[in-house]
Amino acid sequence: MKMEQVEPSVLSRLLRVTAIVEDALLVLILAAMVVLSATQIVLRNLFDGAILWADPLLRVAVLWVGMIGAMVATRSDRQISIDAISRFLSAQWRARIRVITDLFTALVSAVVAWSAFRLVLDDRAAGVSSIAFVPVWVCEAILPVAFGTIALRYLLFSVKHLRASAAKPEQQ
């Protein structure tokens, strides 16, 4: 008997593409940072010079790598957490507690995303440049995107954990 292949849903394809884009951006920015930093070291030590825009660009790249790294960590629910109680609880109670913490994390991330979005809009209106001719708001654009993504993921995690908390113990 031939098994039919199930066509992946639009959501699963979107999640896969998002993961690929996040990973690719992380690798590209990190590789560029290593190359640019090494170039700066060589230029300073051997030629008594430097690329003027490299240091500000590296600071912005650190921000981007940190925020994309946070998005990647939340993608697989592998963020840093302090948990001293859940090991003593049943799976159902752990899921219930996770619903609360997931919703709280989603709320805080959404508030930060909104504030970051307002910051980007204000800096765009101000028209200030950061590195050469690159506007400040372009450098900050990762903030609302990353925190918005984190908020959405935790909202989805809360739904997943809510389902797990409502399931009968033998279904888990």
Side-chain angles (χ1 to χ4, degrees):
M1 183 188 306
K2 190 175 179 181
M3 294 192 62
E4 293 182 30
Q5 289 187 359
V6 178
E7 187 68 29
S9 71
V10 174
L11 181 60
S12 66
R13 282 185 283 189
L14 179 64
L15 290 174
R16 195 170 347 117
V17 168
T18 303
I20 291 169
V21 168
E22 287 171 347
D23 292 344
L25 278 174
L26 197 56
V27 168
L28 288 173
I29 294 171
L30 197 54
M33 287 174 65
V34 169
V35 169
L36 192 56
S37 296
T39 302
Q40 284 289 84
I41 291 169
V42 169
L43 289 174
R44 285 185 180 141
N45 290 334
L46 298 180
F47 301 106
D48 200 28
I51 302 170
L52 295 176
W53 48 264
D55 291 336
L57 180 63
L58 285 168
R59 284 191 294 271
V60 171
V62 167
L63 172 69
W64 278 69
V65 164
M67 296 311 300
I68 295 170
M71 289 168 48
V72 168
T74 59
R75 175 177 71 210
S76 56
D77 200 14
R78 298 179 70 164
Q79 68 291 342
I80 296 172
S81 64
I82 299 172
D83 188 9
I85 298 173
S86 71
R87 63 181 166 193
F88 301 112
L89 300 174
S90 67
Q92 199 169 21
W93 274 103
R94 275 195 306 269
R96 289 175 183 157
I97 290 173
R98 279 299 304 269
V99 170
I100 295 166
T101 59
D102 290 344
L103 287 173
F104 180 75
T105 304
L107 177 66
V108 170
S109 297
V111 168
V112 174
W114 175 252
S115 298
F117 179 68
R118 297 293 309 164
L119 173 72
V120 169
L121 289 180
D122 289 346
D123 284 346
R124 184 173 182 216
V128 179
S129 292
S130 173
I131 306 163
F133 59 87
V134 177
V136 170
W137 69 268
V138 172
C139 300
E140 299 167 343
I142 189 64
L143 293 169
V145 171
F147 280 108
T149 301
I150 291 168
L152 180 61
R153 284 182 176 155
Y154 274 99
L155 190 61
L156 296 173
F157 285 143
S158 70
V159 171
K160 173 185 158 189
H161 291 120
L162 184 62
R163 287 181 180 163
S165 72
K168 295 184 188 259
E170 61 269 5
Q171 291 178 340
Q172 295 179 8

